[in-house]
Amino acid sequence: MASAEPASEWLQQDSRRMLHAVYRVGDMQKHIDFYKLLGMKLLRQRDIPDDKYTNAFLGFGPEDTNFAIELTYNYGVDSYDIGEGFGHFGVALPDVAAAVEKIKAGGGTITREAGPVKGGSTVIAFAKDPTGYMWELIQRPQTKEPLCQVMLRVGDLQRSIDYFTNVMGMKLLRTRDVPDHKYTLAFLGYGPEEDNCVLELTYNYGKTEYAKGNGYAQVALSTRDVYKTAEQIRAAGGTISREPGPVPGIGTKVMATMDPDGYKWVFVDEDDFNKELEEVPKEEVPEQQ
């Protein structure tokens, strides 16, 4: 095992980025249609009949620069238990009211109409996708990363902040305590909130555990070296749930860790990820209309 000193140095030297969120859905085409109402594009799609599943990747920009969502449809499974831990995904849009009307016109479900957030002035709305995942629509000026948040509920906010800063290498961007509604928020990420997807942690007063369900899976992040990252995480007291190494049949090197609340995070070798994107078969890339 590497000593803590070089492992700590690697945390400062590494270049990390949130790549995509992975979760399971019950009807692939319905979800693709719904996310297009939000303004996303279908980036690529692949079917793995031998293992009886299909993946689709959607986002607002190319995967080598932007955050994306990776949907998994398992043959014959039409519903999932989302659980209590996963909260929502966030999308920054210039006109939330117009987005709400577009979603309604397209047959989507709005659970909160457009209006100012409680105790503030930012206009938000909430939509529910076909499987039941919640999407917060946040009114913001034009941004290069509209897919802006992954919200997870945690049982000990300071413990989670310490983990994501000291172990995962994120920066604490801001916190917000809302005592009237008995919750506290913390926003963390690898870059400014205005131009990057960030992690939003929610601590509800007195709630220490959440049922995870079987829908939401993980977030993938980039690293320059999965082996050094595994050493760094161990040295910082983190838990390795998958040892670093190549994925069988693909070759991309990955490693995985579990955070204190049991959420899974997968680090992906940056060069391998970009090579994987370059080698995507043409049949997996849809024609954009």
Side-chain angles (χ1 to χ4, degrees), residues 10 22 56 60 63 69 98 128 134 136 205 252 254 270-271 286:
W10 174 247
V22 183
F60 289 91
E63 288 180 74
I69 53 174
K128 182 185 292 186
M134 299 299 296
E136 182 180 10
Y205 292 7
T252 298
V254 303
E270 182 178 72
D271 290 338

Side-chain angles (χ1 to χ4, degrees), residues 150-227:
V150 177
M151 191 278 259
L152 301 173
R153 299 183 178 96
V154 298
D156 183 324
L157 188 59
Q158 190 57 54
R159 179 184 67 181
S160 293
I161 290 172
D162 291 343
Y163 183 87
F164 285 105
T165 54
N166 299 331
V167 179
M168 301 289 281
M170 294 185 185
K171 293 182 179 179
L172 177 62
L173 304 173
R174 61 186 174 99
T175 60
R176 180 186 174 206
D177 187 38
V178 188
D180 289 348
H181 297 283
K182 299 182 179 180
Y183 69 86
T184 307
L185 305 177
F187 297 82
L188 302 100
Y190 293 110
E193 192 174 352
E194 295 77 15
D195 293 316
N196 295 271
C197 184
V198 302
L199 173 63
E200 176 184 353
L201 302 179
T202 297
Y203 169 68
N204 293 296
Y205 292 7
K207 180 81 170 176
T208 59
E209 294 183 359
Y210 293 92
K212 297 299 186 295
N214 62 356
Y216 173 80
Q218 65 209 36
V219 168
L221 313 101
S222 66
T223 176
R224 290 176 176 168
D225 190 314
V226 296
Y227 299 97

